[in-house]
Amino acid sequence: MSPHLLDLTFDELRSRLTADGLAAVHSKALWNSLHFRAETDALARKDLSPPLRRWLEARLGTEVFTDVLPVAAETPSGDGLTQKFLLRLADGQEIETVIMGYEGRHTACLSTQAGCAMGCVFCATGQMGFVRHLRPGEIVAQVHHARRILAARGLRLRNLVLMGMGEPLHNYDAVMHALEIISDTRGANIGPAKISVSTVGVVPAIRRMAEEGRPYNLAVSLHGSTDEERAALIPANQRWPLAELISACRYYGEVTQRKIFFAWTLIAGVNDTAAHAHRVAGLLRGLNAHVNLIPLNETAGFAGRESADASAREFHGLIQESGIPCTIRQRRGIDVAAGCGQLKAVRARGRAVRGAAGSAA
Ligand code: SAH
Ligand code: SF4
């Protein structure tokens, strides 16, 4: 049995407490504290029932944990619309969580792994390599962190995107478990239709999501219109080439009847010409698709540059003309300066610089 209380669904938490002889009403109270009110200290409430208090006092911090993630760094954006946090896990690993506020609704961008094994060359997290999978509770804890920050401003978190550090479908079980907990109407209550899972294209997991009837939105990071072009940016394309990826997307669309969002990060001269746009339109023909164009956020480990506005507009126009809805997205979440491993990367560089200065002194 997992000792991390945030790893547990409502039913699992009840089983854990009833196994210790506590009545179901106590597990409901504890669930409310952890998931509905997102309290940081389960013992803080004065009205805690004596049996639950005794149970917690005997175990918290030794046998069970509640996973409040301390903030290691924080960068509020200049425009006040995006707030980025570097959160520290129990083993010292650091992950990013971003809160975005646009058009009156608030969205949290969550990490699913420390680092990432997929090695996409333009991505700060990919440049870092893989460290480990997050547990469900570490994903849930990011949501609670964002809810507390927003609640302090009288706001509510309604949307989630899994576009932070890591590849969600490479950590399938933990991610799906976490999303079950997060979308529980008795807790954080974030509707499945307001949750988007973004993947580099882990083909078997896309099919599995469809087969298991997972009710979340799917976003697929495309970025290349031929296998050669895509593999140069996304090494995972060698394992799951375009034909297999598109076929899995067709299957997903047929089974779920849901629209699929395709992300295309525009890189000057690499994937932003009219020929690329025509090939993308060809690839997605017949799919219920929406293309999100994202300006490249330049990173230290990749020489590519952001596309010119004129190229982005032309690309956008061509996709639209082909009958596929398309938007040029503002940089947000992963693609803002601190997104997708960049806050962590910048901090690591800062440390290296400080370290070098220190040893010279
Ligand atoms: N691993 C998942 C989710 C995290 S990345 C995936 O790859 O989809 C979320 C999105 O940010 C992806 O579309 C990814 O391609 C994009 N991204 C990563 N680094 C970027 C950068 N430097 N500039 C713009 N978009 C980037
Ligand atoms: Fe991993 Fe996504 Fe970054 Fe690729 S873009 S390295 S899959 S986090």
Side-chain angles (χ1 to χ4, degrees), residues 109-110 112-113 116 118 120 122-127 162-169 197-201 219-223 234 262-267 294-299 302 329 331-336 339-340 342:
C109 177
L110 309 182
T112 55
Q113 297 176 317
C116 183
M118 301 295 145
C120 304
F122 52 87
C123 169
T125 308
Q127 290 159 16
L162 276 59
M163 295 187 186
M165 298 167 73
E167 167 49 46
L169 298 190
V197 177
S198 177
T199 179
V200 72
V220 175
S221 302
L222 203 54
H223 311 332
I234 300 177
F262 289 90
W264 189 272
T265 294
L266 287 162
I267 310 170
I294 311 167
L296 175 74
N297 202 39
E298 293 168 14
T299 55
F302 178 58
R329 264 190 18 195
R331 282 214 183 92
R332 46 174 224 165
I334 221 49
D335 31 314
V336 289
C340 208
Q342 294 187 41

